[in-house]
Amino acid sequence: MLSLSEKQIRSSFINASMRERKAITLPENFDALDWDNREFLGWRDAKLPLVGYVVTVLDDAPVGIMFRKTEGRIRNRPQCSWCEDVDLPNDVVFFNAKKGGQAGRDGDTIGILVCAEFECPANVRMMKSLPYIGFDREAEILRRIGVLREHVLNFARRVRDGE
């Protein structure tokens, strides 16, 4: 992923008001982020526990999405819609994101099950146990990275285009 400045991140949000953009709390370790090993930057707001943010690069431009965690409980252990990991070391929660443009201003949202702290880039890079002799772990990790990138970009497109 491209290295982004605070200004680029704040201006990238397509479903947040100017007031919401200014109030965004960046991740604690923002200055030390490893931009090369992530398909998106995702974090939860330290001041607003129900709010999360994701920034990715779509069509060569940064696109930020503001999420709101639902307060309901999920009865079964769900699978993350982005990293598709079934052996997650973390929780998966349901988030809503306002759509971009007029649809979002009209109150339309898109819901998705995602890792609670947006740990997907780390999850897809974890080495799994060998399912069978000769299994190519490195190829599987590259495949999972590609799938994650595709899922995140498709979701960002849907939010941006108000679909």
Side-chain angles (χ1 to χ4, degrees):
M1 182 172 167
L2 298 173
S3 176
L4 300 172
S5 69
E6 179 178 345
K7 182 178 179 181
Q8 288 173 307
I9 288 173
R10 289 187 190 282
S11 65
S12 73
F13 283 88
I14 57 176
N15 66 345
S17 68
M18 282 299 251
R19 183 183 59 79
E20 290 169 326
R21 290 179 194 183
K22 288 180 182 177
I24 291 172
T25 303
L26 292 177
E28 287 181 22
N29 60 348
F30 180 71
D31 294 330
L33 286 174
D34 179 8
W35 293 95
D36 294 332
N37 288 315
R38 62 180 64 243
E39 291 61 51
F40 65 89
L41 172 61
W43 74 100
R44 298 284 291 275
D45 195 313
K47 295 178 182 175
L48 304 168
L50 296 179
V51 176
Y53 309 101
V54 167
V55 179
T56 190
V57 177
L58 177 63
D59 301 329
D60 297 323
V63 173
I65 301 169
M66 187 171 114
F67 289 87
R68 183 159 304 277
K69 180 184 174 288
T70 61
E71 294 189 54
R73 295 186 55 107
I74 299 171
R75 293 179 194 225
N76 297 329
R77 177 132 173 106
Q79 175 178 309
C80 175
S81 298
W82 287 350
C83 64
E84 298 180 340
D85 202 321
V86 294
D87 299 320
L88 290 173
N90 51 270
D91 289 333
V92 172
V93 297
F94 190 75
F95 284 102
N96 282 317
K98 283 191 307 187
K99 292 182 180 180
Q102 187 60 46
R105 288 189 290 278
D106 291 343
D108 290 350
T109 62
I110 300 174
I112 191 163
L113 287 164
V114 181
C115 293
E117 301 295 328
F118 302 104
E119 304 100 327
C120 301
N123 291 342
V124 298
R125 287 171 171 81
M126 283 193 297
M127 292 298 260
K128 302 292 182 179
S129 60
L130 191 63
Y132 57 86
I133 295 174
F135 182 77
D136 189 346
R137 290 185 197 179
E138 307 302 326
E140 177 62 10
I141 288 172
L142 291 176
R143 184 197 70 77
R144 291 179 54 167
I145 290 169
V147 168
L148 171 60
R149 183 175 290 118
E150 181 181 326
H151 288 315
V152 172
L153 293 179
N154 287 340
F155 186 82
R157 255 187 223 97
R158 288 183 61 208
V159 172
R160 180 194 66 189
D161 299 342
E163 295 178 356

